Amino acid sequence: MNTVSIPASAPVAKPAGRYRWVIVALLFAACTINYIDRQMIGILKPILTKELGWSESDYADIVFYFQLAYAAAYLLFGKIVDMLGARLGYAVAVIIWTVGHMAHGMASTAIQFALARAGLGIGEAGNFPGGIKAVTEWFPKQERAFATGLFNAGANVGAILTPLLLWIIIDEWGLNWRMAFYLTGIFGVLWLIAWWTVYRRPEEKSQVSAEELAWIQQDGDTSTVQKIPLARLITRRETWAYALGKFFIDPIWWFFLFWLPGYLGDRYGLDLKTFALPVAAIYVISDVGSIAGGWLSSRLIARGHSVNFARKVTMLVCALVILPIWFAQDVSTVWGAVLLIGLATAGHQAFSANLYTLPSDVFPQGAVGTVIGFGGTVGAIGGMCMAKFTGYILDATHSYETLFAIAASAYLVALLFIHLLSPRLEPVS
């Protein structure tokens, strides 16, 4: 077992060892599966609406209960991950969400779907607390945004694969939507086996060289630390800087994820066969944004800029990239809409990659999972409000114009609150 520990002040050369990127690959795979399971109901919405007779408000209620469970469990999983560690905490989350996902195949009513979605939401709430905790254990501060951007890109890959998988299962293989939930649930089982076999803390892995371990531990926050209760954390402005950032931007991502297929179908007449390519294009652009956003802030830090400057300048660029989504409703061609929506989702992912690193930038390891969990809960509450509002607006106006206007402005508002509450992103003592 390696036991090297480097104080924060010592300069450390970048090592030849790369085992930490194996961990990112596992997190990327988990995020991909997470978004396949999460997005399937959005892709299947036209089929389920026709077969089960849902209104927009019925569908909004199903999304609402998913987010309600997600909000409650996100806070819980933040504490679970801090208590159990990334390895066990993440495994528990994937077990729960896989069972919830496969339970969709047995649902027939809106209430049954809401219950299955609630189970999925409880488990999926552990995805980012577990992933960020693992990144905090395996990467120094200067690489965390890039590592987070890489594994967060799995969300876009999952969004790309979902319509393709459903097209194969339903159109090519001739199976029904119930079998689609059962078959895709196998991915979670396979990932659990790989995760439990591979993941340990870096000092427990013989594959990690002493040089790579020194690189990972260069910030000095590597020892077992006292867990900090949420009651203390919520008194800190830095906690609310992260949480309110999530409150403003998470609902926009939920809106894209759950209503984008329906929008493309209503506005441009696309169906399960024809919207696979436009949706895939949107999330390919998103992947570029996720990786580029993490790379940009990490690059700025490597060039000598402060963490505060690097994170906030990157998020400002992302917020400006998102602004043109305001005009998406007026675009007459599907590929014009793909470009504007793709820019917005890319901006979101880049913004989100940097926002996710803020707790590890300013809090000790023993608090990171709890802060992530609290912020995720606040973000999911925003998503619940957005779901209800979206259902109401679409039933009342049948127009997405107001929704796109909200999406365009949310990121500048989020950045404003982040800066006001944590103007320097100084470490919390």
Side-chain angles (χ1 to χ4, degrees), residues 255 263 266-267 329-330 389-390 392-404:
F255 165 65
Y263 171 72
D266 294 342
R267 180 73 172 83
Q329 178 78 19
D330 300 324
F389 181 72
T390 300
Y392 168 77
I393 287 292
L394 293 180
D395 274 338
T397 69
H398 305 288
S399 171
Y400 287 77
E401 185 174 359
T402 300
L403 303 171
F404 285 135

Side-chain angles (χ1 to χ4, degrees), residues 77-425:
F77 263 108
K79 298 180 70 66
I80 288 174
V81 167
D82 275 341
M83 181 176 64
L84 300 180
R87 183 174 184 248
L88 181 55
Y90 212 159
V92 169
V94 177
I95 289 169
I96 295 172
W97 101 45
T98 300
V99 172
H101 172 70
M102 297 179 78
H104 286 68
M106 296 181 286
S108 297
T109 67
I111 293 175
Q112 290 170 348
F113 267 95
L115 290 173
R117 294 301 286 178
L120 180 68
I122 291 170
E124 289 202 345
N127 181 56
F128 282 104
I132 300 300
K133 184 74 169 182
V135 167
T136 304
E137 290 178 354
W138 275 88
F139 288 87
K141 285 184 179 180
Q142 67 175 276
E143 288 186 330
R144 286 177 190 167
F146 184 49
T148 301
L150 284 175
F151 92 72
N152 192 38
N156 307 310
V157 173
I160 292 167
L161 290 177
T162 306
L164 299 176
L165 287 169
L166 289 175
W167 175 72
I168 291 171
I169 293 169
I170 295 175
D171 285 356
E172 293 297 305
W173 293 354
L175 302 176
N176 60 30
W177 58 265
R178 296 183 186 277
M179 285 301 300
F181 284 107
Y182 300 142
L183 291 175
T184 52
I186 296 171
F187 298 145
V189 176
L190 297 176
W191 183 89
L192 275 166
I193 295 170
W195 176 257
W196 198 253
T197 302
V198 172
Y199 191 87
R200 301 291 189 281
R201 289 177 62 91
E203 61 268 24
E204 298 171 352
K205 296 293 291 187
S206 60
Q207 296 92 335
V208 178
S209 68
E211 292 79 11
E212 185 176 13
L213 185 61
W215 174 260
I216 292 168
Q217 296 183 351
Q218 65 180 278
D219 298 314
D221 186 20
T222 58
S223 59
T224 301
V225 294
Q226 182 180 3
K227 309 307 178 196
I228 303 172
L230 178 62
R232 287 183 61 192
L233 292 171
I234 61 176
T235 65
R236 303 298 309 218
R237 292 160 60 95
E238 295 83 1
T239 300
W240 286 100
Y242 175 73
L244 289 179
K246 295 286 287 179
F247 178 82
F248 287 110
I249 76 164
D250 278 11
I252 310 307
W253 183 251
W254 297 116
F255 165 65
F256 288 136
L257 193 69
F258 293 127
W259 271 274
L260 177 59
Y263 171 72
L264 294 175
D266 294 342
R267 180 73 172 83
Y268 303 104
L270 304 184
D271 57 20
L272 187 60
K273 293 180 180 179
T274 55
F275 68 47
L277 188 57
V279 168
I282 287 169
Y283 288 109
V284 166
I285 299 171
S286 300
D287 257 340
V288 174
S290 181
I291 296 170
W295 173 85
L296 178 57
S297 66
S298 294
R299 179 65 174 166
L300 289 172
I301 293 170
R303 296 187 66 174
H305 292 286
S306 68
V307 170
N308 183 55
F309 178 89
R311 304 291 190 231
K312 290 178 181 175
V313 166
T314 301
M315 287 192 283
L316 176 60
V317 171
C318 299
L320 296 176
V321 165
I322 294 165
L323 282 176
I325 192 66
W326 197 311
F327 308 104
Q329 178 78 19
D330 300 324
V331 176
S332 59
T333 65
V334 64
W335 288 105
V338 164
L339 178 59
L340 287 187
I341 296 170
L343 282 174
T345 55
H348 170 91
Q349 292 291 59
F351 192 106
S352 185
N354 285 273
L355 181 60
Y356 270 123
T357 66
L358 297 190
S360 64
D361 288 335
V362 300
F363 288 99
Q365 283 195 24
V368 169
T370 302
V371 174
I372 293 285
F374 177 70
T377 296
V378 174
I381 290 171
M384 291 158 55
C385 298
M386 186 68 174
K388 284 288 192 180
F389 181 72
T390 300
Y392 168 77
I393 287 292
L394 293 180
D395 274 338
T397 69
H398 305 288
S399 171
Y400 287 77
E401 185 174 359
T402 300
L403 303 171
F404 285 135
I406 293 171
S409 55
Y411 298 82
L412 287 172
V413 176
L415 181 56
L416 175 63
F417 275 89
I418 291 167
H419 182 67
L420 290 175
L421 290 168
S422 188
R424 296 182 179 86
L425 291 183

